[in-house]
Amino acid sequence: MIVIEKQPKRVEVTVYAEFTLADYQEFETAVNYAIQFEGPVDLFFDLREMADFTLDVAWEDIVFARAHANDFSRIAVLTHSQWVAWSAWLSQMFVRAEMRIFDDEVEARSWLLAEEGETPA
């Protein structure tokens, strides 16, 4: 299950339990909409509660990343899992966005806001 929140120039995604293909397609729809109307956007992924992801999600992520190589500015991935961090790093090979892995939410949000010239709430 995922929860998607839209901020100006940013899409925030929190994944709970298993990340399924249907969840990923919901994410794609939200991101495509944001890109269409705002241009390149930042992504914030909170994967701390993700238990697992399906193989088709991994494949879809590669396909999506390659199709949108220039559509992201910054990507913050929040996780406590080394495996998830490694997977995110692997995906970075297909996008030109700056990506960082965090284990602290305040640091992740501060990094995204610093680029925008904002201060964290």
Side-chain angles (χ1 to χ4, degrees):
M1 179 182 128
I2 65 171
V3 174
I4 299 172
E5 294 181 35
K6 178 68 183 74
Q7 305 292 332
K9 302 288 282 177
R10 182 171 57 241
V11 176
E12 299 186 1
V13 179
T14 304
V15 178
Y16 299 96
E18 185 176 62
F19 196 13
T20 66
L21 184 58
D23 294 332
Y24 198 89
Q25 290 168 338
E26 184 179 341
F27 157 74
E28 287 177 320
T29 299
V31 168
N32 284 330
Y33 183 84
I35 291 167
Q36 179 180 357
F37 291 102
E38 299 181 27
V41 296
D42 291 338
L43 297 177
F44 175 81
F45 281 103
D46 185 343
L47 304 178
R48 294 174 293 179
E49 300 297 324
M50 182 177 74
D52 197 7
F53 58 91
T54 60
L55 185 57
D56 51 355
V57 167
W59 178 252
E60 188 68 18
D61 186 46
I62 292 169
V63 172
F64 185 76
R66 291 185 68 186
H68 293 280
N70 298 308
D71 292 332
F72 305 110
S73 301
R74 299 174 121 199
I75 302 170
V77 178
L78 183 58
T79 183
H80 299 302
S81 165
Q82 287 301 107
W83 173 249
V84 172
W86 182 83
S87 297
W89 177 83
L90 188 62
S91 295
Q92 184 180 7
M93 294 189 316
F94 302 108
V95 296
R96 291 186 176 84
E98 183 178 1
M99 179 186 288
R100 290 201 187 165
I101 311 298
F102 297 90
D103 61 5
D104 181 80
E105 184 173 355
V106 172
E107 287 179 24
R109 291 186 181 282
S110 293
W111 178 70
L112 287 173
L113 293 173
E115 180 69 13
E116 299 168 3
E118 299 176 21
T119 56

